[in-house]
Amino acid sequence: MDGARTPGLLTLDELREEVRAGRIDTVLLAIVDMQGRLQGKRLAATHFLDEVVEHHAEGCNYLLAVDVDMNTVGGYAMSSWDRGYGDFVFHPDLTTLRRIPWHEGTALVMCDLEWEDGSPVLASPRHILRRQLDRVAERGWQALAGTELEFIVFRDTYEEAWHKAYRDLVPANTYNVDYSLLGTARIEPLLRRIRNGMAGAGLRVESAKGECNDGQHEIAFRYADALATADGHAIYKNGAKEIAAQEGYSLTFMSKFNEREGNSCHIHFSLRSSEGEAVMASAGHGDGSHGDGAGAGHGYSELMGRFLAGQLACLRELTLFLAPNINSYKRFALGSFAPTAVAWGHDNRTCSLRVVGHGHSLRLENRVPGGDVNPYLALAAIIAAGLHGVDKGLTLEPEFTGNAYESDKPHVPRTLREARDAFAGSEVANQAFGSEVVEHYSNMATVELDAFDAVVTDWERFRGFERM
């Protein structure tokens, strides 16, 4: 994206002018952590311009070695008590500089993480995605992506929800408002403020719609290059929570809040040539190649067939990057619009992989991720799987038609433990991401599993307190 022309984005010169005029006084220096959250510092804008732009900044390297509650935990090679919990370098990516309209006088810039010698922090989600995008670029292609992120809105504040132990919360809607204009109108002031806030931060908003669970909604954004999409996803997710809090609401992106429909994050992905031509469509649909195999009837190129075959071949072993938490696996339920079968279909929402569009708009949709996904890791997994299929010349199996929930196809991993073990032993993951990254994120899953296994749950109390 062009920072000089996209509303909301800023060039460095534009930021200097805004600071001189007194319209911006704070710059958020942000990184993305393992959980996909924004972490960083609030800087005086003058300090950012005078010092950080040229000399960068530092932050504790435990930011990529803690659990979701920010507790220090063991098992990470790059950061520990034995290593003294030193710093790594926040290197601002000035192409991401933008306004943050929901905070007065505020701008934000995303950072890449480096060690003091300038080498990249390999376990940084942004670097993991950059490395896969470099592999795409080496082949003369560019990766485009869009994420569809669902959330549930409650009329309780975050503080009230905490004190209620997240029980008996009041959803913003009390019935299914999927596609309902009446239902979405009930909280349109909040949805409108989020949409306009994101547009003011340089994101291209397309639409908002209701979803199935009580209080569930989705705001969709236009596709962009994969790194910009991941940055926008993280900024939006953080900003939506902040705006909801300012309005006296709370909202959650957790994958499965209750026994009803979970929060999904369908990821749409396509490739184009470096000149912008479609390469996933067959002759007459965009790339000049002759489609063959299972997707030929839909206008898929040979490249598309192999890329999609790679998704199927690698999905189970890379699911950890698509579903990173224990709760993620509660979402994979029969007849829930969340997938259970490792299958692909043309415009078939019962499959893990759905293909839609034609010509330039032809794309795959990965339906495995939930709202808790780290978009950088998920996109990296999609690219790694696709390139595996291309490099190995994999043949695409016939499309699945009908109800994939009732098929005999391989099953999406049922638990985080199953996904961790498949990821840790994956040759594809080790080759694409490197052993350091595989060990790092396998340990992240182990930390969560150990914590969960040690907890006595409400489910156990309800079943055992009186009856046993």
Side-chain angles (χ1 to χ4, degrees):
M1 294 189 295
D2 189 333
R5 293 194 299 271
T6 303
L9 296 186
L10 296 166
T11 65
L12 197 57
D13 286 341
E14 288 169 340
L15 176 63
R16 289 192 177 100
E17 179 55 35
E18 292 295 286
V19 173
R20 278 195 294 267
R23 291 186 289 267
I24 291 179
D25 53 57
T26 301
V27 174
L28 306 180
L29 196 69
I31 68 162
V32 172
D33 67 7
M34 294 189 295
Q35 292 80 11
R37 305 173 298 187
L38 295 187
Q39 306 282 19
K41 304 178 181 181
R42 281 178 156 78
L43 303 180
T46 51
H47 175 68
F48 174 76
L49 291 171
D50 294 344
E51 299 292 337
V52 176
V53 168
E54 182 177 356
H55 303 293
H56 311 149
E58 296 78 34
C60 181
N61 62 34
Y62 95 142
L63 290 170
L64 292 182
V66 291
D67 67 10
V68 72
D69 289 323
M70 304 299 290
N71 297 311
T72 53
V73 292
Y76 290 109
M78 60 166 273
S79 182
S80 65
W81 291 116
D82 290 338
R83 297 191 58 159
Y85 284 116
D87 282 346
F88 39 39
V89 176
F90 287 33
H91 188 151
D93 178 352
L94 296 178
T95 67
T96 68
L97 190 61
R98 68 190 67 225
R99 301 177 191 274
I100 297 296
W102 56 94
H103 290 304
E104 185 177 358
T106 298
L108 176 145
V109 66
M110 300 296 297
C111 295
D112 291 304
L113 288 175
E114 300 174 349
W115 297 112
E116 189 175 355
D117 64 2
S119 61
V121 176
L122 298 182
S124 163
R126 208 163 189 264
H127 175 74
I128 292 171
L129 177 54
R130 278 191 184 277
R131 184 175 177 184
Q132 298 309 304
L133 292 174
D134 288 344
R135 296 179 67 204
V136 169
E138 288 168 0
R139 292 160 169 81
W141 306 325
Q142 56 179 320
L144 301 174
T147 59
E148 300 175 336
L149 190 55
E150 296 172 352
F151 55 87
I152 299 175
V153 182
F154 298 99
R155 297 188 182 276
D156 311 80
T157 66
Y158 279 106
E159 290 73 21
E160 290 166 346
W162 166 268
H163 287 295
K164 293 169 73 171
Y166 304 102
R167 300 186 185 92
D168 302 319
L169 303 185
V170 181
N173 302 93
T174 53
Y175 57 90
N176 182 331
V177 297
D178 192 22
Y179 287 97
S180 169
L181 293 179
L182 176 63
T184 52
R186 296 288 293 273
I187 61 164
E188 169 59 8
L190 173 62
L191 297 176
R192 179 174 182 269
R193 189 169 171 222
I194 294 174
R195 292 196 309 270
N196 289 343
M198 297 308 133
L203 279 63
R204 294 188 63 181
V205 182
E206 289 191 340
S207 63
K209 66 177 288 291
E211 292 290 343
C212 298
N213 204 339
D214 292 347
Q216 190 176 44
H217 295 264
E218 173 188 287
I219 296 175
F221 298 83
R222 183 172 174 79
Y223 70 87
D225 72 82
L227 184 61
T229 289
D231 288 340
H233 177 119
I235 291 166
Y236 158 57
K237 194 172 181 181
N238 190 77
K241 292 177 183 178
E242 292 178 339
I243 292 169
Q246 291 170 3
E247 295 293 323
Y249 291 89
S250 59
L251 59 82
T252 183
F253 292 95
M254 69 181 293
S255 186
K256 191 76 168 176
F257 174 74
N258 56 22
E259 287 70 30
R260 286 195 52 188
E261 296 84 1
N263 287 321
S264 69
C265 179
H266 304 145
I267 298 180
H268 292 250
F269 184 91
S270 66
L271 292 173
R272 292 188 186 170
S273 71
S274 55
E275 292 78 31
E277 294 299 317
V279 295
M280 286 185 156
S282 63
H285 294 81
D287 79 331
S289 66
H290 296 285
D292 57 13
H298 296 298
Y300 304 172
S301 68
E302 182 180 35
L303 169 63
M304 173 63 165
R306 291 178 175 176
F307 197 91
L308 188 54
Q311 304 302 312
L312 293 169
C314 301
L315 191 144
R316 282 182 47 82
E317 59 197 86
L318 299 185
T319 293
L320 183 64
F321 270 11
L322 305 172
N325 300 301
I326 289 170
N327 181 255
S328 308
Y329 297 83
K330 305 281 180 74
R331 184 174 145 266
F332 303 138
L334 297 177
S336 66
F337 286 100
T340 58
V342 180
W344 81 274
H346 192 87
D347 200 13
N348 186 339
R349 285 184 168 87
T350 71
C351 298
S352 293
L353 298 162
R354 171 177 174 248
V355 182
V356 290
H358 59 275
H360 267 76
S361 69
L362 181 65
R363 62 197 184 275
L364 67 89
E365 177 191 52
N366 190 315
R367 297 178 62 81
V368 172
D372 59 344
V373 72
N374 183 323
Y376 301 85
L377 302 182
L379 285 166
I382 290 170
I383 294 170
L387 295 184
H388 172 76
V390 172
D391 292 346
K392 297 297 183 181
L394 300 185
T395 300
L396 180 62
E397 67 184 46
E399 69 173 304
F400 187 89
T401 58
N403 184 357
Y405 290 116
E406 298 178 351
S407 73
D408 59 358
K409 293 291 186 182
H411 201 286
V412 174
R414 290 174 169 84
T415 65
L416 179 63
R417 181 171 281 104
E418 184 181 347
R420 177 205 58 187
D421 292 347
F423 183 77
S426 169
E427 182 179 345
V428 172
N430 276 277
Q431 288 181 348
F433 310 127
S435 59
E436 180 177 332
V437 169
V438 170
E439 291 169 5
H440 192 93
Y441 284 92
S442 296
N443 186 69
M444 176 184 173
T446 298
V447 166
E448 292 299 300
L449 288 164
D450 288 349
F452 181 77
D453 289 344
V455 169
V456 177
T457 67
D458 284 349
W459 182 83
E460 292 170 290
R461 291 192 186 96
F462 274 110
R463 291 172 68 87
F465 188 88
E466 178 179 346
R467 295 171 177 82
M468 292 185 179

